[in-house]
Amino acid sequence: MDADAADTVAFDAPGYFRFYKSGKIERLNQSPILPAGVDEATGVTSKDVVLDADTGLTVRLYLPNLQEKPSAKLPVLVYFHGGSFLIGSAKDATYHAYVNALAAAAGVLAVSVDYRLAPEHPLPAAYDDSWAALRWAASAQDGWIAEHGDLSRLFLAGDSAGANIVHDMLMRVADSGGPNVEGAILLHPWFCGSTPIEREPPAVTMVTGMLWSYACPGAAGGADDPRMNPLAPGAPALDKLGCVRMLVTAGLEDGLAARNRAYHDAVAGSSWSGNAAWHGSDGEGHVFFLGKPGCEKGKQLMDRIVAFIAGA
């Protein structure tokens, strides 16, 4: 490939990133990286832990203010950020604010995973990092988790590509026989397929399939790889999902909403022994709650997540 061709933009996501034919990515308007510490708005304290110095895998832990109940044991929630596997960080301002708020509202000890990004680290790097982080959290090697975490109440949560990771983790949990996961929260999960499903805009199918090819080049089945399309023919059966309860959510104006609903319905209609709940936000788009968490629908979604973790 000559230099001019290599510098040709293959895909432009305005305001987010550009992908070039050479395989290079240019990340745009990235949310600033914030340090861990005490969040004045919520009273939550965070800290960073390096899990693998060779790969750079880290997690950011969030501990709610326990001043009134210093000996309280909290549910442990492992969170996976979104960004098409291409952008985002557990430490950026967007996710730092969101997980702070989630930890405070739900009263959970949160472990936010800063996995490696494609294309520099194509999939399955993000999946493998996330699995390593989940197993680490479940091992209670960290003092905060050992002292304040109730690992009999382990939850997984993520938005967009992070919700896709949640699905992959549940399949790995089933194959590995643990750790035991009580609940999974899939916020606007990023799934696609090679052909549109009913009520899915064809342009969405095309774009999501293209992004998947950048994150996971050479994937068997392309966009029908079962990690991206859990409903594809030949995908592992959903009845093996490794959790007891699941909440699937969508913004009903999101181009992914139809596939989000199809995933929920397939899980609920399978022979899986768990319980699957649904929450749709009328008039809202993809991961709207990250950009406007204080809006009424954002508050309703947070309330639903808190209730789900509490067992409702």
Side-chain angles (χ1 to χ4, degrees):
M1 181 180 296
D2 62 43
D4 289 341
D7 287 338
T8 301
V9 174
F11 183 85
D12 189 2
Y16 294 97
F17 60 86
R18 294 190 189 96
F19 224 96
Y20 294 86
K21 287 188 175 180
S22 64
K24 180 185 74 172
I25 190 171
E26 181 183 5
R27 297 179 176 95
L28 308 171
N29 303 319
Q30 296 184 77
S31 184
I33 299 299
L34 297 183
V38 178
D39 181 63
E40 294 183 3
T42 61
V44 173
T45 302
S46 58
K47 69 175 182 178
D48 295 329
V49 179
V50 177
L51 303 191
D52 189 327
D54 292 333
T55 64
L57 173 60
T58 65
V59 293
R60 177 163 288 186
L61 278 68
Y62 295 82
L63 182 66
N65 188 337
L66 297 176
Q67 188 171 2
E68 295 182 3
K69 296 181 179 179
S71 61
K73 290 282 191 177
L74 307 177
V76 175
L77 182 143
V78 182
Y79 193 90
F80 310 99
H81 71 81
S84 306
F85 302 105
L86 302 169
I87 58 175
S89 168
K91 301 171 185 174
D92 72 32
T94 298
Y95 286 104
H96 184 67
Y98 183 72
V99 182
N100 261 314
L102 177 59
V108 297
L109 196 169
V111 180
S112 189
V113 183
D114 208 22
Y115 55 81
R116 287 172 291 172
L117 299 177
E120 296 88 349
H121 305 283
L123 292 172
Y127 293 129
D128 291 344
D129 286 353
S130 298
W131 180 238
L134 171 56
R135 294 178 65 191
W136 173 85
S139 72
Q141 295 179 44
D142 179 79
W144 280 11
I145 298 175
E147 184 176 356
H148 301 293
D150 178 1
L151 285 166
S152 71
R153 304 209 62 221
L154 178 62
F155 291 81
L156 308 183
D159 67 280
S160 194
N164 176 294
I165 290 174
V166 170
H167 173 81
D168 187 75
M169 296 300 100
L170 295 176
M171 289 305 196
R172 294 190 186 211
V173 164
D175 289 340
S176 302
N180 294 327
V181 176
E182 177 179 338
I185 303 165
L186 287 79
L187 303 170
H188 304 196
W190 191 48
F191 296 131
C192 75
S194 59
T195 56
I197 63 172
E198 186 178 355
R199 301 189 309 279
E200 182 178 50
V204 170
T205 310
M206 180 187 69
V207 170
T208 53
M210 186 180 301
L211 293 177
W212 171 251
S213 72
Y214 295 148
C216 193
D224 285 327
D225 183 300
R227 294 168 296 183
M228 194 57 176
N229 185 3
L231 308 185
L238 295 172
D239 59 11
K240 63 184 286 188
L241 287 164
C243 65
V244 179
R245 301 188 290 122
M246 176 181 288
L247 173 64
V248 183
T249 79
L252 298 184
E253 292 301 312
D254 183 3
L256 299 177
R259 201 170 285 268
N260 293 165
R261 184 73 205 206
Y263 175 82
H264 164 270
D265 292 351
V267 171
S270 73
S271 58
W272 175 59
S273 60
N275 177 264
W278 168 258
H279 179 90
S281 299
D282 289 326
E284 299 292 352
H286 192 58
V287 297
F288 72 94
F289 53 89
L290 294 177
K292 46 180 185 177
C295 73
E296 188 60 32
K297 295 292 174 59
K299 292 176 181 177
Q300 291 173 5
L301 177 57
M302 181 64 83
D303 288 346
R304 184 66 188 92
I305 294 168
V306 169
F308 175 81
I309 291 171

